[in-house]
């Protein structure tokens, strides 16, 4: 149930499900707490609920959220996440006129074959583990190589990126919740 999900992920959607997207914003779109000029929730798409978890305690979180951040350096980027949207995800890049110039879907056809194999092998695992399995393998290999050789783990978020990403999530959560009241 969604209440069970809210309790199991009590840190909130932005620090859990959408943290990867926020890390991309910090890494590539100049997003930091100090550089956010504005954040605007898409009230048509977004939904926030207060639900009881299995413990009986109530938890308030987003079941889906979409928002746009504008930075003080002139960048604009949007994120959308839906707890009930399945395991597929996509990213789009638009130009200044709002026209889509690129779209990336996950999982692609190759990933779908891997997902089917892993689902059969591990039927009780969380479904999103399967779509992200190739990425987890890459991250682990790069981190292990760094540990063994000292060679920089290219393409991995640094501790600095991780800290700023958490700061951004902590800034956005109450801001977006207030907008959705």
């Amino acid at each position: 149930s969604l209440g069970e999900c809210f309790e199991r992920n009590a840190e909130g959607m932005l620090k859990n499900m959408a943290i990867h997207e926020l890390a991309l914003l910090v890494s590539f779109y100049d997003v930091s707490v100090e550089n956010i000029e504005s954040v605007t929730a898409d009230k048509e798409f977004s939904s926030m609920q207060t639900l009881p978890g299995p413990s009986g305690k109530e938890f308030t979180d987003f079941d889906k959220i979409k928002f746009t951040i504008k930075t003080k350096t002139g960048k604009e980027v949007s994120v959308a996440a839906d707890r009930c949207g399945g395991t597929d995800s996509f990213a789009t890049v638009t130009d200044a006129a709002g026209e889509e110039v690129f779209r990336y879907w996950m999982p692609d056809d190759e990933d779908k074959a891997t997902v089917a194999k892993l689902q059969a092998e591990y039927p009780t695992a969380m479904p999103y583990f399967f779509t992200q399995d190739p990425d987890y393998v890459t991250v682990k290999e790069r981190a292990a190589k760094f540990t063994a050789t000292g060679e920089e783990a290219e393409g991995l978020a640094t501790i600095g990126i991780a800290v700023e990403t958490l700061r951004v999530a902590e800034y956005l959560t109450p801001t977006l919740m207030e907008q959705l009241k």
Side-chain angles (χ1 to χ4, degrees):
S1 78
L2 199 51
E4 183 277 332
C5 179
F6 281 13
E7 183 168 347
R8 180 171 33 90
N9 301 290
E11 68 277 15
M13 186 183 212
L14 295 183
K15 283 184 165 179
N16 180 272
M17 183 179 172
I19 199 72
H20 309 97
E21 288 75 10
L22 295 180
L24 291 171
L25 302 189
V26 170
S27 297
F28 301 111
Y29 292 93
D30 202 24
V31 172
S32 68
V33 171
E34 291 75 20
N35 196 33
I36 293 174
E37 181 176 294
S38 66
V39 58
T40 306
D42 179 332
K43 294 179 181 179
E44 293 288 319
F45 179 91
S46 302
S47 173
M48 181 175 70
Q49 297 186 54
T50 299
L51 299 170
S55 68
K57 182 178 174 187
E58 290 194 337
F59 295 85
T60 300
D61 199 6
F62 311 109
D63 53 287
K64 59 183 184 172
I65 186 74
K66 183 177 182 182
F67 57 91
T68 299
I69 294 174
K70 291 183 182 177
T71 68
K72 294 174 184 173
T73 53
K75 295 189 177 167
E76 185 173 321
V77 62
S78 298
V79 170
D82 183 346
R83 285 210 184 272
C84 302
T87 59
D88 291 3
S89 64
F90 68 92
T92 59
V93 176
T94 58
D95 61 19
E99 297 295 319
E100 186 176 305
V101 295
F102 177 77
R103 178 177 291 251
Y104 172 78
W105 282 93
M106 185 184 93
D108 60 18
D109 289 337
E110 183 180 327
D111 292 337
K112 287 178 184 177
T114 301
V115 167
K117 176 181 171 255
L118 291 170
Q119 282 178 321
E121 194 172 338
Y122 306 101
T124 60
M126 297 299 281
Y128 63 87
F129 289 159
F130 304 133
T131 58
Q132 297 172 5
D133 182 70
D135 296 324
Y136 289 143
V137 169
T138 299
V139 167
K140 288 188 241 178
E141 287 173 347
R142 290 180 184 177
K145 186 174 182 179
F146 169 74
T147 302
T149 68
E151 182 180 323
E152 185 172 337
E154 187 177 321
L156 301 188
T158 64
I159 293 297
I161 295 290
V163 168
E164 188 58 33
T165 300
L166 287 171
R167 289 183 68 232
V168 168
E170 289 173 351
Y171 171 83
L172 292 175
T173 298
T175 301
L176 292 166
M177 284 183 165
E178 183 64 30
Q179 290 181 28
L180 295 175
K181 280 185 178 177

